[in-house]
Every structure is written in structure tokens, then in C-alpha cells.
Amino acid sequence: MGQNIQKTAFTEQDHERFVQRIKADMETLEGLLNTPGWGVGPRTIGAELELYLTDPKGRPARRNMEVLALAKDPLLTEELNRFNLEFNCPYTLCRGRPFEWLGQRIDERLTSLRDLIKPHQLEVTPIGILPTLLAEDFGLASMTDSPRYHALTEILSKRRGGPFQICIQGKDRLVMSTDDMTLEGANTSFQVHLRVNPDEFASWYNAVQLASPFVLALAANSPLFMGHRLWHETRLPLFKQSIDCRNLCRMTWNPPARVSFGKGYVRHSAIELFRQGISLMPVLLPECDDDAGDRPGRGPALKALRLHQGTVWSWNRAVYDDADGGHLRIELRSLPAGPTTIDMLANAALAIGLASALRPQIDRLMDQIPFEFAEYNFYRAGQSGLGADMLWPDQDGVLREMPLDSLMPSLLDQAEEALQEMGIDPAEAQRLMEVHRARLAAGQNGARWQLGCLQALEPTLGRQAALAEMFARYRQHSIEGRPVTEWPCP
């Protein structure tokens, strides 16, 4: 979740100094963006995969630091809760067979990790939300013992002035409250990073925003939480509500949440998103060492700006990276972990391919689909997954609400063609788009499979035992690696 933090409490002087550091960093970044040729380089992609640790019964295992000590792997890091880990997959050029390359790295790491922890009665699985979670699995005892997490939960709770309130309505209804942010750690994702040149950032970012609802609907894999059937991608409301430090009863205006789809399309430059992050979001962690001096091959560190932006959790986020002299990336944060590596790669390929296909027509599309309607699509995709209706221009250019399955065949063809035009091997582009075509044909993605399996098992086993049995089957199918459309449902 970002830079290391050493303190858990901060003074007024810390805040004043940090604000000055952010202002200086913003001036530096604006200067870089106005420098001809800065940040220009080959397009690359990378990913972060968050994982669940469980015991043989499928219950969360609070042992992430033990596993990290065993693995001694710099690409594995801790996450907020002690039953989660993150694998940081290296970057690769976005041409040829990059998704196959990423898949090999992910499978190698998952296989080695499973072999390493099996003697310790531990299992590791990619899934958006672990279906066997109970209320007793959360609280400070579940939080990784890191100053960053202690500081965040204390500051967010203090700003809110009371418990965090969760209210999610799906087929069931979940209402609960919590005094800390550990419910956020129930969400695990497959975060894709795409490097883009600064002069192309606006068109890429806006196209990613428009493409995200379609990808999310096909990728949904988080329909269950605390034994409740909620959204097909329950991570969306759970993440937003579990760290929402706004207390709207005490405010005379409605400030934006720290987790959001955004506040509008980007007009010209990435700098707009960084400015919004500073002007709309109060500083949470005002701790930052002085930037290092000149470092060969790297751009300015901009530590204060990057630390602050790391506490603004937009579903699609602008990222400044100091590597390679400094450059910009778009971080796609809405995709869930799992069910299998091939499913996640297909999701990433569709997100990038569809965004690339929409870019040439982005100005027209932004006129036809005002931002609030793009946002509407995003949350309807999270609620209903494959069953979502989407607002999209028809053949006459008129905005209409249409079923997802009527829109996707054409969009998948466009995405496949765009991937090939980007330099992706045609066989790889076709293979990954066929994963989505199969989902549409079968009417099955991760969320649909989990819900269908639960429905079949619950009458004889009861809800909790059915959830455990369903997850055991999910885990076995995930290890076998066949896409979720091929998983049998009892």
C-alpha cells in the first residue's frame, strides 16, 4: 500500500512541512510535464496480485509475516490484514506476448509459494473476497503490525468521529459497523499498470474509464461477504465504505470519498488528477524523508506527492514513477483477484485492448456519454456483473440502456483488433478474447459460479458449510488453471 511509514502520530508542524513538500513536488511535476520529451518511452505493463492465506478448512490464516520470512522474496509484500499477501509482478514491454509472460511469472510464483507453505498447513488463493470470512476475522488482531496501517486506521477513525458504517444491498442485505479499517483488507485485486506517454495520458485515461465497466462486469468475482449474497463485485461498496472517513452529518458540503470512480474526464493532462488529489483530499500521513539527490537513471523522487496520492484510492489512478528518468502510468484497480491466471490475464487484455479501441473516438464518446453516465455504468457492472445493462450509444448515436451481452460481441472484436494494432501477437489477442466470448456464451464468470455453487450446496449443507465446500472446490479449480467458464457447477 505504498511507502514505508515509521510514525503513528503526527504534529501540526508535520502537516505544515508536508504541505510545503507537496507544493514543491507539484511544481517539479508540472515542470517535468512541460519538458518536451519527458516521460516518453516504450509502453509497458505490470501487475500487483493480492492473495488470501487460508488454513486447510478454508478459513483465513493470520500468518503473512511468517510466510514472508519463509519466502525471502522481494516481490512478495505484506498487505493490510495478516491473512493477505501481494505479489508484485515485474514489468514487460506491451508487445508480442506480454500477457503470456506475465502469466508465467504469476504461475511460477503461485506454484513455488504453494509448495513452500504446504508443510505449514497453509494455502494461497486468488479470489476477490474470501467467502468463508466471519465478523470475528476482523479487528486490530487481524491487522498487519505496521506503523502505516496503525496510523491510517487511527487517523481515518478520528476524522470520521465514530465507527465506519457498512450497508450493502444485494439479494441479501448487510448492515454492520467497525471501529477500524480492517474490513478493507477483505478486498483483494489484480491491479494492472500501463505506462503511457504524457501527451497521450488524457485520451488513454478517459478511454480506460469508459472501458472499465465492461471489463468489470465480465470479470466479477466477489459476490459474497460475511455469508451474504451482495453485489457481483462486492469489493466496490465494501472498499469505499470501510475507509470512508467523511462524517456528512457534521459537514455543510458533500466532499468526495477517498475511494471513487473520479470527478470527471481528464481534459488535457495527468496534472489535473494530481491537483484534485491535493485539493479535495486532506493529508493523512504527513511523514516523508528528504528526497535523495541525483540518482542515475531516475527522475525526482517526489516522495511527498507519491505518498499522498497513495492514500487517494481512485478505481483508475494516475501514478508518477521515478524509474527510467520518471514517467506516468495508469493503475487499473477495479479488477478482482482470480479465479485463475488465464481469467485475470483476459481481464487485463480486455481493459487495455478496449481502451485502445475507444481512444480514436474518445472526444465523441465523452460528448455522447457524460461522465456521470460512465460512473453509472461502472456501479451497475459491480452490482449485476454479466446481467448488467449499460448506457451506450446505439447505431444512430443515441444513448440507450442495453444489455451487456448485446454490446460485448462488437466490443470484443474491437478490443482484439486494437491489441493486434498495438503489437500484441494475434494468437495471444484472440486466445484472451475467446475467454470472454466463452463467458458470455456460458453465462458464467467467477461471481456467477460462486452463487450457483452456493445455491446448489446450501439446501443440504446449510449456508456456512456450503460456503466452505464451495471455496474448497473453487480453490481446486483455481489450482488446475482452467478458465472459470469450464468449471462444473453441482
Side-chain angles (χ1 to χ4, degrees), residues 151-189:
L152 275 175
T153 197
E154 182 175 340
I155 292 167
L156 290 170
S157 299
K158 184 176 180 180
R159 284 186 176 275
R160 181 168 177 81
F164 299 97
Q165 304 295 333
I166 307 297
C167 182
I168 307 174
Q169 179 69 52
K171 193 168 186 178
D172 303 323
R173 186 167 186 259
L174 174 66
V175 178
M176 62 182 301
S177 64
T178 178
D179 293 325
D180 56 69
M181 61 181 288
T182 53
L183 286 182
E184 186 275 322
N187 307 292
T188 55
S189 60

Side-chain angles (χ1 to χ4, degrees), residues 225-274:
F225 181 56
M226 299 279 195
H228 292 68
R229 297 160 298 177
L230 302 171
W231 289 22
H232 281 227
E233 195 48 61
T234 302
R235 291 168 47 255
L236 267 62
L238 181 59
F239 188 14
K240 180 177 181 178
Q241 296 176 29
S242 62
I243 57 173
D244 191 352
C245 59
R246 302 172 300 168
N247 190 327
L248 300 180
C249 295
R250 301 181 179 180
M251 296 178 175
T252 57
W253 66 299
N254 186 7
R258 299 192 85 94
V259 178
S260 76
F261 187 68
K263 302 307 294 180
Y265 293 120
V266 172
R267 296 161 297 178
H268 305 292
S269 164
I271 201 69
E272 299 163 31
L273 298 177
F274 290 99

Side-chain angles (χ1 to χ4, degrees), residues 414-435:
Q414 294 177 49
E416 183 177 333
E417 182 179 351
L419 287 168
Q420 295 179 29
E421 291 174 352
M422 292 172 65
I424 303 301
D425 182 273
E428 169 142 304
Q430 182 182 26
R431 176 176 67 96
L432 294 173
M433 292 307 100
E434 285 300 326
V435 172

Side-chain angles (χ1 to χ4, degrees), residues 29 32-33 35 37-41 195-198 295-302 306 319-329:
L29 180 58
L32 292 173
L33 290 171
T35 302
W38 177 83
V40 174
R195 175 174 175 171
V196 297
N197 291 333
R295 298 163 301 157
R298 305 193 78 87
L302 306 188
R306 293 165 72 187
V319 175
Y320 166 81
D321 192 323
D322 63 353
D324 192 23
H327 64 271
L328 295 175
R329 299 198 309 270

